[in-house]
Structures are given as structure tokens and as C-alpha cells.
Amino acid sequence: MKKIEKWLERWLVPIGQKLNGNKYLSILKHSMASLIPITIAGSIALIITNFPFIDNVLPATFLEEMRAVLAPINGITINLISIYLIIAIAYHYAKEFEMEFHYTISIAMASFLILIPFEKATESGELLSKVIPVEYLGSSGMFVAIFCTFFSCWLFRKISSTKLTIKMPESVPPNVIDAFSALVPFFVVLIVMIAIRFVFSLTPFNDVNTFVYSVIQLPLTNIGTGFIPTVLIGILVQLFWFMGLHGQSLVGSVMHPIWIAARNANNAAFLAGKELPYIVTEEFVAEFMWPSFIGLVITLVIFSKKGTANRAVGNAAIGAAAFKISEPVVFGLPIVMNVLTLIPWVLVMAVNATVSYGAMYIGLVPRPTGVTIPWTTPPIISGYLVTNSIGGSLLQIVNIAIGVLIWVPFIKALSSQSAAELENSEIVESDSNIETIN
């Protein structure tokens, strides 16, 4: 066990520290988090209009009108997610590198729009010009939005730090000075983006969006949402927690773009009445993998001996666990650097991922529909909302039960060990008191 602990400490901690300290991953992580209100707002409208059995309660004509009224909410939130992502990344980039917010956001948005082809082919084959294809503003354009924003902001910052800026007399108002200082860097960035657009127009892909989506985004999404990568990611998350690092935060900074792209693809398919393409989405990992610790908390409450520290930790953590907050049990039991808990801690996550993926793959449980809910939504309720089915709730119950079954023998062993240590300490203390009296 000591060898395992030393090996993890040697290799895992440095990786976690590098991920946690990377400025660009930090910017992306904060940017993804800032999208939560937008995606939840769009999802609320989707949940209302597609609530299970709602068509048995409301008249068909009223339901149709309600869906038509609420449809724009989803259209201007989830369907334009790349626009909001650009604003978020540019804002956090400017904040991180102490740049002027307005110009940083403006150059990022302008660079992204330059790369979009202003034409769209209709179903009949007619080519419309001077239009912006909406699909490039949604999930299909997310990776372009990320790459383009980081690159344009970086280039804008580099040029702004050189002598390629227009200097104005000190008597000129500060806002005018800032505007002219940004002029040359702004123009140079746009010229570079135009050059990129032109180069890709000469390729079989015709534009950057088609290239990135076909060659990068789609393959990465397919790989990142596969069964084996999902299980390995779950194991890695638990190993990070074991070392005292926030597993979801570290892994999420890399995986969120992939999971969110899959979620939005499912959302579009669900609205169109088509088969949902992905099992693993942002909601899959958040609702059927991350809550794997809840089985541990229940086991501590039920199977730990009364009056022991384990029972106290379970009682203290049960309220937080109901809202999927794991820190009280992670640091209270503790899980951190506790080799005795490492095997079940990792095993439960892997088993939950396997069972959940399998249940959705064979069709026992519907796949996530693409709705977004607050991450603190209690289990059973959350499973129902993200799958639009009672099957999601039942799957969460099964996962929790599996967690309890796996944790029971380990918690009983820990309780026996704690009781033995307490008894030995009392004997030692009693012997020392006798010696003192003598």
C-alpha cells in the first residue's frame, strides 16, 4: 500500500498541479462555469414543454402554442452557445492578463465571425448569400470558438505589447488614447484571420468550421464519450481526490468542451425528435458518476458503530451529500491519503460508470436529453429531469445501492480498526495512570 501511495504521489500530484496551475485551462474552466445560467435557462423551457405525460394533461392546441412561445428561449441560449462562450473566454482572458475588456471581447468576436462562411445552402440546393449559418453559432462551432478566441486574444496581447501601436499626446482623453492604441493590433489580428479564412477556402473543407468539426471536434467527442475513456476518466478523478486535489475540477477543465458538445448535440436531436447520438454528456457524468460518494455516506450512517468517528462523519455529511457535495466526507473520513479507502473509492466510480453506460446502451434507461440542471439538484430528482424518464431516477438508486454494497465490508473493517485503536489507547492510558499512582 505504501508503494502505491508513493507512486501516486510521485506521478499524479505533479500532473494535477500542472493542470491546476495552467492559466489557459483555468480561463477555460471559469468560462465554462459562466455558461451555467444560460444553459439552465434554455433547459427550463425545454423541460416545461417536454415534461413526461404533459400531453395527457394539457390540450394539444394549448401545448403546441406554449412550445411555440417558449421555443425562442432555447434558440437564443443553447443554440447560440458559441457566442456566449467567446464572450466568457475573452472576458476571463482579459481579466487574467490585465487587458482592456471591451477591445479583447470585440477582437475575439470579430475573429470568430470572419471565419464563418456567410452563405447557406437550402434543402432544395439554393445557395443563400449574406447569411450566417446558425449551426456554426451553436455546439458545432464550440471548438472553433475556443481556438479562435484564445488565438486572437493572444495575438492581440502580443502585438499590443510591441511598438506597433499609435501613440497619442498626453493631453488626449484616456478613452481616445486606448482606442487608437488598440487600432493597429486590432487591424493586424483581423488581417491574420482573413488570411486563415482564405487559406481554408482553397482546401476541400472550404472553411475552418467544417475542418475543425470534421477533423477535430467530432473525433474528439466520439473518443471522449466512449465507454473506456469514460471509465478511465472516472478513475482518474478519484485518484486526484485521493491525493487531495479536486478531481472534477481538474479533469473537467479538459473534458467540459467535449461533454458540452455532446450534450448540445443530444439537445438538438431531442428537439428534432431524432435518436440521441451520445450516452456520455455533461449530465451523464454529473448525475450518474460524480455522485458515487453518496453510497459511502449512507454506509457510514447505517453500518458504522454508534459513537464512532465514522458514524459522526456520516451524520455530518448526509445533508451535503443530498445536494451532491462530497467535501465533508472526502476530508472528514478522510479519503485523502487514506490507502484503506482507495480501492472502494475508485471501484464504485468505475462500476457506476459501467452500469450507467450499459443501461443506456441497451436502452433500459433513456440517454440524457441535453437539458441542463443545477449541479446541486438532489439525486433521483436529477436523474428524472436529465433523462425525461423515471428510468433515470431508478438508475441513480441502483448506483447508490451498488455503492453501499461495495463500501459495507470496508467500512466495517475501518470501524473495527477504529474500535481496536480506541481500546488500545484506553488500555495504555489506564496502565500509565496505574504507574503514576504507584
Side-chain angles (χ1 to χ4, degrees), residues 272-289:
K274 299 178 181 178
E275 182 181 355
L276 306 183
Y278 296 104
I279 292 175
V280 180
T281 67
E282 182 85 356
E283 284 61 48
F284 177 89
V285 295
E287 306 305 334
F288 302 103
M289 288 178 60

Side-chain angles (χ1 to χ4, degrees), residues 241 246 248 293 317 320 324-333 375:
W241 273 116
H246 197 296
Q248 281 91 334
F293 71 93
K324 298 195 292 241
I325 299 171
S326 63
E327 279 80 353
V329 71
V330 169
F331 296 103
L333 187 58
W375 69 272

Side-chain angles (χ1 to χ4, degrees), residues 401-414:
I402 289 173
V404 172
L405 290 175
I406 292 175
W407 272 108
V408 164
F410 291 93
I411 293 304
K412 285 186 174 181
L414 282 175

Side-chain angles (χ1 to χ4, degrees), residues 241-265:
W241 273 116
F242 173 76
M243 301 305 298
L245 304 170
H246 197 296
Q248 281 91 334
S249 179
L250 292 172
V251 173
S253 62
V254 177
M255 295 302 299
H256 277 315
I258 293 174
W259 291 333
I260 291 175
R263 171 225 283 166
N264 292 340

Side-chain angles (χ1 to χ4, degrees), residues 8 96 131 306 329:
L8 291 173
E96 176 68 34
V131 297
K306 291 183 178 179
V329 71

Side-chain angles (χ1 to χ4, degrees), residues 120-400:
K120 172 72 175 178
T122 64
E123 294 182 359
S124 61
E126 180 184 1
L127 188 64
L128 301 177
S129 59
K130 298 181 180 180
V131 297
I132 299 178
V134 176
E135 61 265 26
Y136 292 139
L137 308 181
S139 59
S140 297
M142 279 188 63
F143 276 56
V144 174
I146 293 171
F147 297 146
C148 176
T149 304
F150 274 115
F151 176 69
S152 60
C153 290
W154 171 83
L155 186 58
F156 184 74
R157 177 169 64 91
K158 290 297 182 180
I159 298 172
S160 298
S161 63
T162 67
K163 296 180 179 180
L164 295 175
T165 56
I166 298 175
K167 304 297 183 182
M168 302 292 290
E170 294 182 1
S171 58
V172 177
N175 60 324
V176 178
I177 293 176
D178 291 340
F180 276 90
S181 296
L183 178 57
V184 173
F186 205 102
F187 184 73
V188 171
V189 173
L190 294 185
I191 292 297
V192 171
M193 304 311 292
I194 281 289
I196 293 173
R197 176 190 174 106
F198 175 73
V199 169
F200 274 92
S201 70
L202 303 177
T203 68
F205 296 100
N206 293 322
D207 61 83
V208 178
N209 292 271
T210 303
F211 170 79
V212 171
Y213 183 77
S214 303
V215 178
I216 300 176
Q217 180 170 337
L218 192 59
L220 276 179
T221 303
N222 290 334
I223 294 172
T225 58
F227 168 64
I228 293 178
T230 300
V231 173
L232 293 177
I233 285 168
I235 293 172
L236 185 61
V237 165
Q238 299 301 76
L239 290 177
F240 275 132
W241 273 116
F242 173 76
M243 301 305 298
L245 304 170
H246 197 296
Q248 281 91 334
S249 179
L250 292 172
V251 173
S253 62
V254 177
M255 295 302 299
H256 277 315
I258 293 174
W259 291 333
I260 291 175
R263 171 225 283 166
N264 292 340
N266 276 16
N267 178 268
F270 181 73
L271 289 173
K274 299 178 181 178
E275 182 181 355
L276 306 183
Y278 296 104
I279 292 175
V280 180
T281 67
E282 182 85 356
E283 284 61 48
F284 177 89
V285 295
E287 306 305 334
F288 302 103
M289 288 178 60
W290 293 169
S292 62
F293 71 93
I294 294 177
L296 166 60
V297 177
I298 294 175
T299 306
L300 290 173
V301 172
I302 297 177
F303 294 98
S304 294
K305 294 181 180 179
K306 291 183 178 179
T308 62
N310 289 346
R311 174 66 72 88
V313 169
N315 290 335
I318 193 69
F323 296 95
K324 298 195 292 241
I325 299 171
S326 63
E327 279 80 353
V329 71
V330 169
F331 296 103
L333 187 58
I335 294 296
V336 177
M337 301 304 292
N338 186 351
V339 180
L340 295 176
T341 64
L342 178 60
I343 292 176
W345 179 246
V346 172
L347 182 61
V348 173
M349 177 76 81
V351 173
N352 282 175
T354 301
V355 170
S356 301
Y357 192 98
M360 293 183 184
Y361 182 81
I362 63 178
L364 285 178
V365 177
R367 300 180 179 191
T369 60
V371 300
T372 306
I373 60 175
W375 69 272
T376 52
T377 304
I380 302 176
I381 297 174
S382 61
Y384 180 80
L385 292 176
V386 300
T387 61
N388 205 41
S389 168
I390 193 68
S393 300
L394 295 176
L395 179 56
Q396 286 183 316
I397 293 172
V398 170
N399 281 342
I400 292 172

